[in-house]
Amino acid sequence: MHGIVPEATYKRRRDRLSRDESERTERLARITAHALSVWGVEEDAQDFLAPPHPMLGGRTPVEAAVTVLGARQVEQILATIGYGLPM
């Protein structure tokens, strides 16, 4: 959550998300949906999204997905897993 909106900002916020915050939220939602479609079970998708991943330089997929490039990397990993290709 605080990767999208800093905690202090969130606590005093009364308006909608900014454009950047909305884009980060959309990326994370897209990655989460993609992980769920690949793994088929929410718990398994979360097991993929939460721990650090070696192909992401030790970042978690959720941390990586905050940026456009990181989201593309996570999508590539998920596509590789989904199609059963070697990594």
Side-chain angles (χ1 to χ4, degrees):
M1 169 64 180
H2 299 299
I4 297 172
V5 182
E7 185 174 7
T9 302
Y10 179 75
K11 286 182 178 180
R12 68 176 182 269
R13 169 77 46 93
R14 301 279 184 243
D15 298 328
R16 296 179 179 178
L17 295 176
S18 70
R19 179 179 175 181
D20 290 339
E21 293 164 348
S22 294
E23 288 173 359
R24 287 191 296 263
T25 301
E26 185 276 330
R27 277 194 301 273
L28 290 171
R30 189 177 66 238
I31 293 298
T32 301
H34 193 169
L36 184 55
S37 73
V38 167
W39 294 107
V41 177
E42 187 173 343
E43 185 176 305
D44 292 342
Q46 289 301 321
D47 287 345
F48 168 77
L49 293 169
H53 195 283
M55 294 180 73
L56 298 171
R59 294 176 297 161
T60 69
V62 170
E63 291 169 340
V66 172
T67 67
V68 173
L69 179 58
R72 288 182 184 161
Q73 291 170 330
V74 175
E75 289 171 332
Q76 181 69 35
I77 293 168
L78 287 167
T80 300
I81 293 168
Y83 289 111
L85 301 172
M87 296 177 96

